[in-house]
Amino acid sequence: MSKGLFFSSRLHRAALCSLVLGTVALTPFAARAEAVYPTKPLKLVVPFPPGGAADTVARFYAEKLASSFGQPVVVENKPGAGTAIAAEFVAKSAADGYTLSLAPAGQLTLLPHLAKDLRYDPVKDFAPVSVVASVPYVVAASAATPANTLQELVALAKAEPGKITYSSCGNGTLCHLSGELFASLTGTKLLHVPYKGSAPAITALLGNDVNTAFDTLTVLAPQVKAGKVKGLAITSAKRSPVLPEVPTAAEAGLKGYEVSSWFGIVVPAATPKPIVEKLNKELVRIAAEPETRTRLATSGLDVESTTQEAFARLIQEDSARWGKVVADSGAKIE
C-alpha cells in the first residue's frame, strides 16, 4: 500500500468516525433541548375576541401553564372567518411548541364541512394535545321577543318563517350550527345573523336587534340571571347548577337537542412528540387540581382532560356528526 493511500484511508476513517460521533451527540442534545422546554415565552392563540367562553378557558390555562413552566404564556386573540384566521395562523407557525391554539369544536369539526377554501386541514395540520373544557349551550330570547318558553319560540318561528333572527359568534361556528340544528329538529326556518365573536352577538340580543341566540352557558348565564334575556332551555342532558331554573331542551319539549362545545389545545402537526407529551402531561395535571374545577365551574364550564389519541378520536367522531347536520341543513359559507 502506498503512503498516500494509507493516509487517505486513515483520514477517511477519522472523518467517518467523527461523523458517527457527531450524529450520536446530536440526539442527546436534541433530547436535552426538549427536556428543558420551554426556554422562552409561549403564545396561546384564541379564535375569538375577549369575553367569550373560549377566552375564559384560554386565560385560565395560560395563567396555570405560565406558573408551571416559569415562562409567560401570552393569550393572542385572532377572531374572524369563523375561526379560520386563527387556525391558519397556527397551522403555519413554527412547530417548536411555542405556539399553541385553543381550538373550539367548530374549528376542527364544523368549518371543514362548510367552507370550500380553507387554508388549513383540521387533521393533517395539527397535533391534538388534550381537551381542556366543555360547556353546554343555552337557547335565549331577547326581552322584546314574545316567547317565554321553547315551545312558544317554536310556534313563533312556524308562524313567521324566515323572520325570527338569531345571532351567532360567527359563520361556521357551533353557535351558528346550533341554530341550524334547532331549526332542523323543529321544522322551522330562522334567519342567521353572524358576528365576530360571542360578545357582539350577545350585545345584539341585549339590544333587541335579534330575537334569539344559541351560545354557551358561560356567556348567557349572567344575562339570564340579570333578567336581561330569557333563558328558554339548556342543551345538556341535565340542568345546570349555574341556571337551575332553566329546563333542559328535552324537558322543554325538544328531545334530541343536545349540544356541548368543547375546547382543546392543539399545536402545529410537526411539533416534536416529546414536547406534545410534556404539554399533555401538564394539562392533565392542571385539570386534576381542585382549583381548576372551582374556577371554571363559576362560568358554567366543565373541566376535561384526555390522551392525545382520545382527542383525535373525538375530532373524528364529532366531524362525522356535524357533517351530517351541515348536509341536512344545507348550511354553507361562500
Side-chain angles (χ1 to χ4, degrees):
M1 178 184 292
S2 71
K3 187 175 182 181
L5 181 59
F6 173 77
F7 278 113
S8 175
S9 299
R10 187 170 65 180
L11 286 172
H12 176 73
R13 288 196 299 272
L16 181 61
C17 182
S18 176
L19 178 61
V20 170
L21 289 174
T23 302
V24 171
L26 280 175
T27 303
F29 178 80
R32 286 197 301 272
E34 290 165 0
V36 299
Y37 162 89
T39 58
K40 62 181 181 179
L42 292 83
K43 181 185 299 181
L44 178 54
V45 178
V46 182
F48 299 111
D55 193 64
T56 298
V57 173
R59 292 184 186 279
F60 175 79
Y61 273 90
E63 173 190 325
K64 299 297 286 185
L65 285 172
S67 177
S68 300
F69 288 150
Q71 293 289 346
V73 179
V74 181
V75 174
E76 185 170 322
N77 298 88
K78 284 187 174 294
T83 73
I85 289 176
E88 182 184 354
F89 174 82
V90 174
K92 294 181 178 179
S93 296
D96 55 8
Y98 290 93
T99 301
L100 318 178
S101 174
L102 186 83
Q107 187 184 80
L108 301 177
T109 66
L110 286 179
L111 208 53
H113 297 288
L114 289 162
K116 297 179 180 179
D117 58 349
L118 285 184
R119 297 179 182 177
Y120 72 92
D121 186 297
V123 176
K124 295 179 181 179
D125 289 341
F126 303 107
V129 181
S130 176
V131 176
V132 292
S134 64
V135 61
Y137 268 50
V138 172
V139 183
S142 69
T145 299
N148 297 310
T149 67
L150 196 66
Q151 289 305 315
E152 288 178 359
L153 177 63
V154 172
L156 194 64
K158 286 184 176 180
E160 301 181 284
K163 291 186 178 181
I164 298 301
T165 56
Y166 76 96
S167 60
S168 82
C169 53
N171 273 322
T173 62
L174 201 57
C175 305
H176 172 195
L177 267 293
S178 293
E180 295 291 344
L181 179 58
F182 176 84
S184 175
L185 291 173
T186 58
T188 58
K189 184 178 181 181
L190 306 178
L191 180 60
H192 176 221
V193 184
Y195 288 84
K196 289 184 178 180
S198 290
I202 302 310
T203 297
L205 184 69
L206 292 169
N208 298 311
D209 296 325
V210 293
N211 298 113
T212 187
F214 304 82
D215 213 312
T216 64
L217 179 64
T218 305
V219 171
L220 283 166
Q223 310 305 334
V224 174
K225 286 180 177 179
K228 295 180 179 179
V229 300
K230 293 176 278 190
L232 306 184
I234 187 167
T235 64
S236 50
K238 59 183 180 179
R239 295 195 185 200
S240 168
V242 177
L243 287 178
E245 72 283 5
V246 176
T248 66
E251 290 174 333
L254 184 57
K255 293 182 179 180
Y257 188 54
E258 291 188 15
V259 179
S260 179
S261 176
W262 49 257
F263 303 99
I265 300 292
V266 301
V267 292
T271 301
K273 189 171 179 59
I275 288 179
V276 178
E277 291 173 344
K278 188 170 186 176
L279 284 168
N280 174 269
K281 182 179 180 180
E282 200 56 40
L283 292 172
V284 170
R285 186 193 65 77
I286 293 170
E289 292 182 349
E291 180 197 358
T292 303
R293 298 188 181 279
T294 302
R295 286 269 298 272
L296 295 186
T298 59
S299 297
L301 290 153
D302 295 317
V303 177
E304 308 279 357
S305 66
T306 61
T307 63
Q308 299 154 56
E309 294 76 16
F311 188 7
R313 287 195 300 272
L314 176 64
I315 294 170
Q316 183 180 26
E317 291 167 1
D318 272 16
S319 179
R321 178 196 178 200
W322 287 107
K324 185 177 185 305
V325 174
V326 171
D328 292 346
S329 68
K332 60 182 178 179
I333 299 176
E334 298 296 344

